[in-house]
Amino acid sequence: MNGKRVLVGVTGGIAAYKSVELVRLLRRAGAEVQVVVTRAATEFITPMTLQAISGRVVRQQLFDPVNEAAMGHIELARWADLVLVAPASADFMARLAAGMADDLLTTLSLATEAPLVLAPAMNRAMWRNPATRENVARLIRRGIRMWGPAVGDQACGEQGPGRMLEPAQLIDQVQRLLAGGLFSDVQLLITAGPTREAIDPVRFLSNRSSGKMGYALARSFAAQGALVTLVSGPVSLQEPPGINCVQVETALQMRAAVMERVAACNIFVACAAVADYRPLEVMARKIKKQAQRLRIELIRNPDILAEVAAMDVAPFTLGFAAETERPVEQAEQKRISKGVDAIAANLVAAAEGGFERDENALTLLWEGGRKQLPMMEKGLLADELVKQMAEIYAKKG
Ligand code: C5P
């Protein structure tokens, strides 16, 4: 980040105490940092602390006779290579979404031509409130980047989405963004692996998915700068570094983990082999082998991909179709019926490729186009798929 100019905006939220560490890490990585605070931010952290850590006088006033003599807000907007607002409160996002310019930070956010990134932080109910949801969707549509929030413990004692990303995660993202990359402005959510559907305390229904393709894709998107969250079913793979991993077991858990995070993502990739059915009843005790025949009644699981694609403000969606026959034809039908933007078709249970193997071949289908990717190692295949996705995603705007 040597010599890069990062304008850090701090708004009013308890996570403002983490902004000090963020500024410290940015400076340690070689960036020049100018801090701009809102009035509410100063209720949580003093400008003096931020001044000492950033090495610059912290700015707050829009109508500051000294700085505004030289059009201070425009000068700051031009100065920045990146504007990063961390934490970004619900109130700040609402003002930004409305296009207001009622303090220095909102004004320079309107005036800047540099990438503008928000790291939201607030109570989980505030994050889920329809007013916030609408504001977030508007901001994302305008090309404003949204990093986080993370899910977990909250200062108010509750649990859920609304935690600001940790300063080290934000630094990692800033580095990717400033380095460039096909997806440097993208927040991506991906599912991978199989799900397990319990029959009794010791048995489950599952499938042969190894998670290799999904994990390879998560890595390739991250290598192109995306901020990746991987929701994974049970697999025997290492969690990839630099990727936010959420481990789940059942289809219902996978759905919940996805729905909690999907509003903040730009792209959703459904690579998991989600069990289509689960046992209607889960036995509390281990089933004994007595009867000659045993029936287990199954019930349909929700289709996570179709549900995401049908959202009012849906992210760009990529699905997979693993088929044992006529993969391209069936995938095209799925693309249309699930309403997804793109789908990758592959043959499974063939001599090569597919589930459990290290190699695969895919045909990527989207509206008005298709591309065949020949048999290759899954890591290379993921790189090729990501390159192709960048073109389709850019066209979709
Ligand atoms: O309908 P089918 O299972 O063949 O569709 C496969 C695609 O849908 C994959 O992208 C898979 O991850 C996704 N899917 C899902 N939830 C389900 C079933 C499939 O997200 N319950």
Side-chain angles (χ1 to χ4, degrees):
M1 285 192 218
N2 264 342
K4 290 289 182 189
R5 298 190 288 213
V6 182
L7 192 147
V8 174
V10 182
T11 73
I14 188 60
Y17 81 91
K18 293 189 191 169
S19 310
V20 180
E21 178 69 356
L22 175 66
V23 171
R24 192 181 73 81
L25 292 177
L26 283 168
R27 289 206 65 201
R28 202 170 68 179
E32 284 181 50
V33 181
Q34 171 66 57
V35 179
V36 174
V37 293
T38 62
R39 198 206 55 76
T42 62
E43 300 283 345
F44 294 88
I45 183 131
T46 71
M48 194 52 76
T49 306
L50 291 161
Q51 172 176 312
I53 302 296
S54 68
R56 283 169 178 262
V57 175
V58 170
R59 302 276 293 272
Q60 180 188 349
Q61 300 304 333
L62 180 57
F63 302 113
D64 171 337
V66 178
N67 289 311
E68 281 304 313
M71 292 291 231
H73 64 287
I74 302 293
E75 167 239 332
L76 278 179
R78 286 194 192 131
W79 174 86
D81 293 316
L82 171 71
V83 176
L84 170 60
V85 182
S89 64
D91 175 71
F92 176 76
M93 292 200 296
R95 289 188 289 129
L96 201 60
M100 288 171 73
D102 55 352
D103 65 6
L104 182 58
L105 192 55
T106 45
T107 306
L108 75 87
S109 297
L110 274 185
T112 193
E113 286 172 336
L116 174 55
V117 180
L118 309 184
M122 68 198 69
N123 163 270
R124 58 162 189 91
M126 292 170 75
W127 173 252
R128 286 190 180 127
N129 188 292
T132 309
R133 303 260 52 75
E134 278 171 29
N135 290 334
V136 168
R138 275 164 90 183
L139 293 168
I140 289 175
R141 270 202 302 274
R142 272 184 223 153
I144 292 171
R145 295 150 171 90
M146 206 66 67
W147 292 351
V151 180
D153 292 335
Q154 302 212 292
C156 49
E158 296 181 4
Q159 271 258 337
R163 281 173 63 88
M164 187 171 96
L165 293 191
E166 294 304 325
Q169 287 174 296
L170 290 173
I171 295 289
D172 190 47
Q173 262 323 98
V174 170
Q175 253 152 355
R176 287 171 201 232
L177 180 62
L178 293 175
L182 294 171
F183 288 97
S184 61
D185 54 351
V186 161
Q187 194 155 326
L188 184 132
L189 185 63
I190 178 168
T191 64
T195 63
R196 282 182 184 171
E197 312 298 327
I199 298 171
D200 69 15
V202 293
R203 304 184 179 94
F204 54 80
L205 291 175
S206 192
N207 58 64
R208 294 185 186 281
S209 166
S210 63
K212 284 177 189 161
M213 193 66 226
Y215 276 55
L217 266 177
R219 276 203 174 84
S220 301
F221 275 111
Q224 290 296 342
L227 179 63
V228 179
T229 300
L230 170 64
V231 177
S232 173
V235 294
S236 52
L237 300 171
Q238 291 271 340
E239 289 191 354
I243 289 172
N244 177 23
C245 293
V246 183
Q247 302 292 341
V248 296
E249 200 164 299
T250 67
L252 292 180
Q253 288 167 358
M254 184 171 275
R255 179 190 170 276
V258 165
M259 290 307 162
E260 201 145 84
R261 294 164 178 83
V262 74
C265 83
N266 316 102
I267 300 182
F268 175 64
V269 180
C271 198
V274 184
D276 290 327
Y277 293 89
R278 66 179 183 276
L280 180 61
E281 259 187 286
V282 182
M283 296 300 154
R285 299 212 182 104
K286 188 180 163 192
I287 301 171
K288 295 287 172 201
K289 54 169 180 293
Q290 284 164 345
Q292 280 305 316
R293 287 181 178 211
L294 180 68
R295 275 176 198 277
I296 298 174
E297 197 175 346
L298 303 178
I299 182 168
R300 276 285 284 274
N301 269 327
D303 190 314
I304 305 169
L305 176 59
E307 201 173 328
V308 169
M311 284 168 52
D312 281 347
V313 190
F316 185 94
T317 45
L318 167 65
F320 278 75
E323 306 294 346
T324 52
E325 57 191 350
R326 300 179 292 112
V328 173
E329 203 181 313
Q330 296 202 65
E332 183 60 9
Q333 282 167 7
K334 264 179 204 170
R335 184 181 73 77
I336 294 163
S337 67
K338 296 195 189 213
V340 298
D341 294 297
I343 196 155
N346 73 308
L347 259 188
V348 287
E352 322 171 67
F355 281 8
E356 293 178 308
R357 307 191 185 267
D358 290 327
E359 295 196 320
N360 203 2
L362 293 171
T363 306
L364 186 63
L365 308 166
W366 64 97
E367 196 178 349
R370 81 167 50 174
K371 168 110 180 176
Q372 214 159 340
L373 302 170
M375 188 66 66
M376 62 186 110
E377 192 273 321
K378 282 179 175 171
L380 296 175
L381 185 64
D383 286 345
E384 289 303 313
L385 189 60
V386 166
K387 274 188 219 154
Q388 195 58 44
M389 276 286 289
E391 279 180 35
I392 308 171
Y393 182 63
K395 269 196 206 128
K396 172 106 182 177

